[in-house]
């Protein structure tokens, strides 16, 4: 199985070597390593790895957490094969069928962002959503999802264990929202990636993008939430 591992390591030579040794001891093969950020002498790395035996995931996490120089931010299954170009594939599908752009975006975001599900809604929509309020959804989205109050710009919002990333679809008044249950939280680069995809998709589809006109009345979010803009 493919996994995305996000960890903080000391930003010094040899620090990542400890991690790779532990991964090798658990039978994992590293497919790709990306450095997301560097701050205060630490680096935030995202490692895509192949684990032939899924039951070894628990051992892998325990081994990494035992390393004093490593902080595990999260590990999740990944549907994005390194070396593929899912963003370009998505935009190609939008170009071929502009009226289906929202469905295409919602369907692709869980795989691209390693999220659990994604939907498209009118900006300002919040609370428990009836099925009629959802403009498009990924196949695994809840029938009646619950959304916190989301900004009308690209941002990430957390409510308890639920992590949300959202971005507007051009000037349509629609947000694409991806949800991830559990860690890691969406990184600002992931939010920027979502925003760029929705921006370009809207530009490609133009006036041919099909959006239902009626927007449901927003309901206040009932849970306490923390909000972090994409630029932070």
């Amino acid at each position: 199985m493919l996994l995305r591992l996000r960890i903080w390591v000391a930003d010094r030579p040899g620090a990542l070597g400890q991690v790779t040794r532990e991964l090798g001891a658990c039978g994992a093969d590293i497919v790709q390593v990306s450095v997301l950020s560097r701050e205060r002498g630490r680096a935030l790395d995202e490692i895509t790895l192949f684990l032939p035996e899924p039951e070894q995931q628990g051992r892998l996490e325990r081994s990494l957490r035992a390393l004093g120089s490593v902080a595990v931010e999260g590990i999740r299954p990944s549907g994005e094969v390194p070396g593929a170009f899912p963003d370009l594939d998505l935009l190609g599908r939008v170009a071929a069928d502009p009226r289906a752009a929202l469905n295409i975006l919602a369907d692709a975001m869980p795989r691209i962002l390693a999220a659990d599900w994604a939907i498209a809604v009118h900006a300002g929509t919040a609370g428990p959503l009836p099925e009629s309020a959802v403009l498009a959804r990924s196949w695994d989205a809840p029938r009646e999802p619950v959304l916190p109050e989301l900004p009308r710009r690209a941002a990430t919002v957390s409510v308890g264990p639920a992590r949300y990333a959202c971005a507007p679809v051009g000037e349509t008044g629609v947000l694409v929202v991806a949800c991830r249950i559990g860690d890691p939280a969406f990184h600002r680069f992931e939010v920027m990636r979502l925003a760029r995809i929705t921006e370009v998709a809207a530009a490609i589809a133009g006036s041919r993008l099909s959006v239902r006109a009626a927007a449901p009345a927003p309901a206040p979010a009932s849970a306490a939430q923390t909000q972090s803009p994409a630029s932070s």
Side-chain angles (χ1 to χ4, degrees), residues 6 113-115 156 163-165 178-180 184-188 190-191:
R6 191 174 297 175
L113 296 179
T156 176
R163 320 291 193 172
Y164 300 89
C179 179
R180 178 185 290 166
F186 286 103
H187 191 269
R188 65 180 182 275
E190 292 177 302
V191 180

Side-chain angles (χ1 to χ4, degrees), residues 79-112:
E80 181 180 352
V81 179
F85 300 93
D87 302 29
L88 296 180
D89 291 341
L90 180 158
L91 296 174
R93 290 170 58 198
V94 170
D97 189 0
R99 294 185 179 279
L102 294 184
N103 288 313
I104 293 169
L105 287 166
D107 179 66
M109 281 307 115
R111 178 169 55 92
I112 290 177

